[in-house]
Amino acid sequence: VLSADGRHRVGAWLAAFLGPEARGTPHFLHQPGHVFSDSKQPVISLINLASLADLEAKVGARRHKRRFRANIWYSGARAWSERDWLGRELLVGQLRLRVLKAIPRCPATEVNPETCERDAKPVAELKALNGDINLGVYAEVIEGGAIAMGDAIALLPE
């Protein structure tokens, strides 16, 4: 996908998929070392569904998980336990990760992904409830590998 041919094939597929709405074939560029993310280094975001549920319960309203754009959503852990993972290594399927930092949320989370309206203030809600604006953690890939829906997340010994 990063080669010129691969980028062209992705653009052609997208143009075919979108049909006339595409108004032409998109062109994709690759800049080695650039990360299109809120983080300056390549990371994966993990968010605990129990933490989101706790936030929703405390504010008394649904906060659709797509507002927070996680790479990996997981369940089965107590709310906010991901905060204890900083500096630790995880195994997710065959993927080995090192948790680097909590994810400070941005104003983009105010936008409802279903209506495209700014209808909530998750940053302010997190600050009021927890004293910070964090939800989820960023982790770097130490060793690549396959992951699948339902794979366990194991906290590795220190």
Short mmCIF file of all heavy atoms in Angstrom, two decimals, residues 68-98:
data_model
loop_
_atom_site.label_atom_id
_atom_site.label_comp_id
_atom_site.label_asym_id
_atom_site.label_seq_id
_atom_site.Cartn_x
_atom_site.Cartn_y
_atom_site.Cartn_z
N PHE A 68 -14.44 8.55 20.43
CA PHE A 68 -13.10 8.44 21.00
C PHE A 68 -12.11 7.70 20.10
O PHE A 68 -10.94 7.60 20.44
CB PHE A 68 -13.20 7.78 22.38
CG PHE A 68 -14.09 8.55 23.31
CD1 PHE A 68 -15.40 8.14 23.54
CD2 PHE A 68 -13.65 9.71 23.91
CE1 PHE A 68 -16.23 8.86 24.38
CE2 PHE A 68 -14.48 10.45 24.75
CZ PHE A 68 -15.78 10.02 24.98
N ARG A 69 -12.56 7.16 18.98
CA ARG A 69 -11.71 6.65 17.90
C ARG A 69 -10.60 5.70 18.37
O ARG A 69 -9.43 5.86 18.02
CB ARG A 69 -11.10 7.83 17.13
CG ARG A 69 -12.12 8.77 16.55
CD ARG A 69 -11.57 10.07 16.02
NE ARG A 69 -10.62 10.76 16.86
CZ ARG A 69 -10.91 11.52 17.91
NH1 ARG A 69 -12.16 11.69 18.27
NH2 ARG A 69 -9.98 12.12 18.59
N ALA A 70 -10.93 4.69 19.12
CA ALA A 70 -9.93 3.72 19.59
C ALA A 70 -9.58 2.72 18.49
O ALA A 70 -10.41 2.38 17.66
CB ALA A 70 -10.47 2.96 20.80
N ASN A 71 -8.35 2.26 18.53
CA ASN A 71 -7.96 1.14 17.67
C ASN A 71 -8.45 -0.17 18.27
O ASN A 71 -8.84 -1.08 17.55
CB ASN A 71 -6.44 1.07 17.50
CG ASN A 71 -5.88 2.28 16.82
OD1 ASN A 71 -5.12 3.02 17.42
ND2 ASN A 71 -6.25 2.52 15.58
N ILE A 72 -8.39 -0.27 19.60
CA ILE A 72 -8.82 -1.49 20.29
C ILE A 72 -9.74 -1.10 21.44
O ILE A 72 -9.34 -0.35 22.34
CB ILE A 72 -7.61 -2.29 20.84
CG1 ILE A 72 -6.70 -2.73 19.69
CG2 ILE A 72 -8.09 -3.48 21.67
CD1 ILE A 72 -5.40 -3.41 20.14
N TRP A 73 -10.96 -1.62 21.41
CA TRP A 73 -11.89 -1.52 22.54
C TRP A 73 -11.85 -2.87 23.24
O TRP A 73 -11.83 -3.91 22.58
CB TRP A 73 -13.31 -1.26 22.04
CG TRP A 73 -13.52 0.15 21.57
CD1 TRP A 73 -13.44 0.60 20.30
CD2 TRP A 73 -13.83 1.27 22.39
NE1 TRP A 73 -13.69 1.95 20.26
CE2 TRP A 73 -13.92 2.39 21.54
CE3 TRP A 73 -14.02 1.44 23.76
CZ2 TRP A 73 -14.22 3.66 22.00
CZ3 TRP A 73 -14.31 2.71 24.22
CH2 TRP A 73 -14.42 3.81 23.35
N TYR A 74 -11.86 -2.86 24.55
CA TYR A 74 -11.84 -4.13 25.26
C TYR A 74 -12.76 -4.08 26.47
O TYR A 74 -13.15 -3.00 26.94
CB TYR A 74 -10.41 -4.51 25.68
CG TYR A 74 -9.82 -3.57 26.70
CD1 TYR A 74 -9.92 -3.83 28.06
CD2 TYR A 74 -9.17 -2.41 26.31
CE1 TYR A 74 -9.39 -2.97 29.00
CE2 TYR A 74 -8.64 -1.54 27.24
CZ TYR A 74 -8.75 -1.83 28.58
OH TYR A 74 -8.24 -0.96 29.51
N SER A 75 -13.13 -5.26 26.94
CA SER A 75 -14.01 -5.38 28.11
C SER A 75 -13.41 -6.41 29.05
O SER A 75 -12.45 -7.09 28.74
CB SER A 75 -15.42 -5.80 27.67
OG SER A 75 -15.36 -7.06 27.01
N GLY A 76 -14.03 -6.50 30.23
CA GLY A 76 -13.60 -7.50 31.20
C GLY A 76 -12.68 -6.97 32.28
O GLY A 76 -12.27 -7.71 33.16
N ALA A 77 -12.35 -5.70 32.23
CA ALA A 77 -11.49 -5.09 33.25
C ALA A 77 -12.31 -4.06 34.01
O ALA A 77 -13.28 -3.51 33.49
CB ALA A 77 -10.28 -4.44 32.61
N ARG A 78 -11.91 -3.78 35.24
CA ARG A 78 -12.63 -2.76 36.02
C ARG A 78 -12.40 -1.39 35.39
O ARG A 78 -11.38 -1.15 34.74
CB ARG A 78 -12.23 -2.78 37.48
CG ARG A 78 -10.83 -2.33 37.77
CD ARG A 78 -10.51 -2.27 39.27
NE ARG A 78 -9.10 -2.13 39.47
CZ ARG A 78 -8.40 -1.00 39.25
NH1 ARG A 78 -9.01 0.07 38.83
NH2 ARG A 78 -7.09 -0.97 39.46
N ALA A 79 -13.36 -0.51 35.58
CA ALA A 79 -13.28 0.84 35.02
C ALA A 79 -12.00 1.53 35.47
O ALA A 79 -11.60 1.44 36.62
CB ALA A 79 -14.49 1.66 35.44
N TRP A 80 -11.36 2.18 34.52
CA TRP A 80 -10.17 3.00 34.72
C TRP A 80 -8.92 2.21 35.09
O TRP A 80 -7.88 2.79 35.37
CB TRP A 80 -10.42 4.12 35.72
CG TRP A 80 -11.68 4.88 35.41
CD1 TRP A 80 -12.86 4.81 36.08
CD2 TRP A 80 -11.90 5.77 34.30
NE1 TRP A 80 -13.80 5.61 35.47
CE2 TRP A 80 -13.24 6.22 34.37
CE3 TRP A 80 -11.10 6.22 33.25
CZ2 TRP A 80 -13.79 7.10 33.44
CZ3 TRP A 80 -11.65 7.10 32.33
CH2 TRP A 80 -12.97 7.53 32.43
N SER A 81 -8.97 0.89 35.06
CA SER A 81 -7.79 0.07 35.42
C SER A 81 -6.66 0.25 34.43
O SER A 81 -5.49 -0.01 34.75
CB SER A 81 -8.16 -1.40 35.55
OG SER A 81 -8.66 -1.90 34.33
N GLU A 82 -6.96 0.72 33.21
CA GLU A 82 -5.92 0.94 32.21
C GLU A 82 -4.92 2.00 32.68
O GLU A 82 -3.78 2.04 32.21
CB GLU A 82 -6.52 1.31 30.85
CG GLU A 82 -7.27 2.62 30.82
CD GLU A 82 -8.73 2.53 31.24
OE1 GLU A 82 -9.13 1.56 31.93
OE2 GLU A 82 -9.49 3.44 30.89
N ARG A 83 -5.31 2.83 33.61
CA ARG A 83 -4.41 3.85 34.16
C ARG A 83 -3.24 3.21 34.91
O ARG A 83 -2.19 3.83 35.06
CB ARG A 83 -5.17 4.80 35.07
CG ARG A 83 -6.17 5.65 34.30
CD ARG A 83 -7.11 6.41 35.21
NE ARG A 83 -7.97 7.26 34.41
CZ ARG A 83 -8.00 8.58 34.49
NH1 ARG A 83 -7.22 9.21 35.34
NH2 ARG A 83 -8.81 9.27 33.72
N ASP A 84 -3.42 1.98 35.36
CA ASP A 84 -2.35 1.27 36.08
C ASP A 84 -1.35 0.62 35.12
O ASP A 84 -0.38 0.03 35.57
CB ASP A 84 -2.95 0.18 36.98
CG ASP A 84 -3.90 0.75 38.02
OD1 ASP A 84 -3.73 1.93 38.41
OD2 ASP A 84 -4.81 0.02 38.44
N TRP A 85 -1.61 0.68 33.83
CA TRP A 85 -0.77 0.00 32.84
C TRP A 85 0.41 0.83 32.36
O TRP A 85 1.25 0.31 31.62
CB TRP A 85 -1.60 -0.39 31.63
CG TRP A 85 -2.65 -1.43 31.86
CD1 TRP A 85 -2.91 -2.14 33.00
CD2 TRP A 85 -3.59 -1.89 30.89
NE1 TRP A 85 -3.95 -3.00 32.80
CE2 TRP A 85 -4.39 -2.87 31.51
CE3 TRP A 85 -3.83 -1.57 29.58
CZ2 TRP A 85 -5.41 -3.53 30.85
CZ3 TRP A 85 -4.85 -2.22 28.91
CH2 TRP A 85 -5.63 -3.19 29.54
N LEU A 86 0.49 2.08 32.71
CA LEU A 86 1.54 2.95 32.17
C LEU A 86 2.92 2.34 32.42
O LEU A 86 3.25 1.94 33.55
CB LEU A 86 1.45 4.35 32.78
CG LEU A 86 0.12 5.06 32.52
CD1 LEU A 86 0.13 6.44 33.16
CD2 LEU A 86 -0.19 5.17 31.04
N GLY A 87 3.70 2.23 31.36
CA GLY A 87 5.03 1.64 31.44
C GLY A 87 5.06 0.13 31.38
O GLY A 87 6.14 -0.46 31.31
N ARG A 88 3.91 -0.50 31.38
CA ARG A 88 3.83 -1.96 31.38
C ARG A 88 3.68 -2.50 29.97
O ARG A 88 3.33 -1.79 29.04
CB ARG A 88 2.63 -2.43 32.22
CG ARG A 88 2.64 -1.99 33.67
CD ARG A 88 3.63 -2.73 34.55
NE ARG A 88 3.47 -4.16 34.54
CZ ARG A 88 2.64 -4.85 35.33
NH1 ARG A 88 1.88 -4.25 36.20
NH2 ARG A 88 2.59 -6.17 35.26
N GLU A 89 3.94 -3.81 29.83
CA GLU A 89 3.78 -4.48 28.54
C GLU A 89 2.53 -5.35 28.56
O GLU A 89 2.18 -5.93 29.59
CB GLU A 89 5.01 -5.33 28.21
CG GLU A 89 6.22 -4.48 27.92
CD GLU A 89 7.43 -5.28 27.47
OE1 GLU A 89 7.30 -6.48 27.16
OE2 GLU A 89 8.52 -4.67 27.42
N LEU A 90 1.89 -5.42 27.39
CA LEU A 90 0.67 -6.20 27.21
C LEU A 90 0.86 -7.17 26.06
O LEU A 90 1.63 -6.90 25.13
CB LEU A 90 -0.51 -5.29 26.84
CG LEU A 90 -0.85 -4.11 27.70
CD1 LEU A 90 -1.94 -3.28 27.01
CD2 LEU A 90 -1.30 -4.56 29.07
N LEU A 91 0.13 -8.26 26.13
CA LEU A 91 0.04 -9.18 25.01
C LEU A 91 -1.42 -9.21 24.59
O LEU A 91 -2.31 -9.51 25.39
CB LEU A 91 0.51 -10.57 25.43
CG LEU A 91 0.76 -11.57 24.30
CD1 LEU A 91 1.87 -11.06 23.37
CD2 LEU A 91 1.15 -12.92 24.87
N VAL A 92 -1.67 -8.85 23.32
CA VAL A 92 -3.02 -8.87 22.75
C VAL A 92 -2.95 -9.81 21.56
O VAL A 92 -2.35 -9.48 20.54
CB VAL A 92 -3.47 -7.47 22.29
CG1 VAL A 92 -4.89 -7.52 21.77
CG2 VAL A 92 -3.34 -6.45 23.41
N GLY A 93 -3.53 -11.01 21.69
CA GLY A 93 -3.32 -12.02 20.65
C GLY A 93 -1.83 -12.29 20.57
O GLY A 93 -1.20 -12.62 21.57
N GLN A 94 -1.23 -12.11 19.39
CA GLN A 94 0.21 -12.29 19.22
C GLN A 94 0.96 -10.96 19.25
O GLN A 94 2.18 -10.93 19.07
CB GLN A 94 0.49 -12.99 17.90
CG GLN A 94 -0.14 -14.37 17.80
CD GLN A 94 -0.03 -14.94 16.40
OE1 GLN A 94 0.30 -14.25 15.44
NE2 GLN A 94 -0.32 -16.23 16.28
N LEU A 95 0.25 -9.88 19.47
CA LEU A 95 0.82 -8.54 19.44
C LEU A 95 1.33 -8.15 20.83
O LEU A 95 0.62 -8.25 21.82
CB LEU A 95 -0.28 -7.55 19.00
CG LEU A 95 0.07 -6.10 18.85
CD1 LEU A 95 1.06 -5.89 17.72
CD2 LEU A 95 -1.20 -5.30 18.58
N ARG A 96 2.58 -7.70 20.87
CA ARG A 96 3.17 -7.26 22.15
C ARG A 96 3.27 -5.74 22.14
O ARG A 96 3.81 -5.15 21.20
CB ARG A 96 4.54 -7.90 22.33
CG ARG A 96 5.13 -7.68 23.69
CD ARG A 96 6.51 -8.37 23.76
NE ARG A 96 7.05 -8.27 25.07
CZ ARG A 96 7.25 -9.30 25.88
NH1 ARG A 96 6.96 -10.53 25.48
NH2 ARG A 96 7.74 -9.12 27.09
N LEU A 97 2.72 -5.12 23.18
CA LEU A 97 2.66 -3.67 23.27
C LEU A 97 3.30 -3.17 24.56
O LEU A 97 3.32 -3.88 25.56
CB LEU A 97 1.19 -3.19 23.27
CG LEU A 97 0.32 -3.61 22.11
CD1 LEU A 97 -1.14 -3.26 22.41
CD2 LEU A 97 0.78 -2.93 20.85
N ARG A 98 3.78 -1.93 24.54
CA ARG A 98 4.22 -1.23 25.76
C ARG A 98 3.34 0.01 25.89
O ARG A 98 3.27 0.84 24.99
CB ARG A 98 5.67 -0.80 25.68
CG ARG A 98 6.11 -0.03 26.95
CD ARG A 98 7.57 0.40 26.95
NE ARG A 98 8.44 -0.77 26.93
CZ ARG A 98 9.23 -1.11 25.89
NH1 ARG A 98 9.26 -0.37 24.80
NH2 ARG A 98 9.98 -2.18 25.95
#
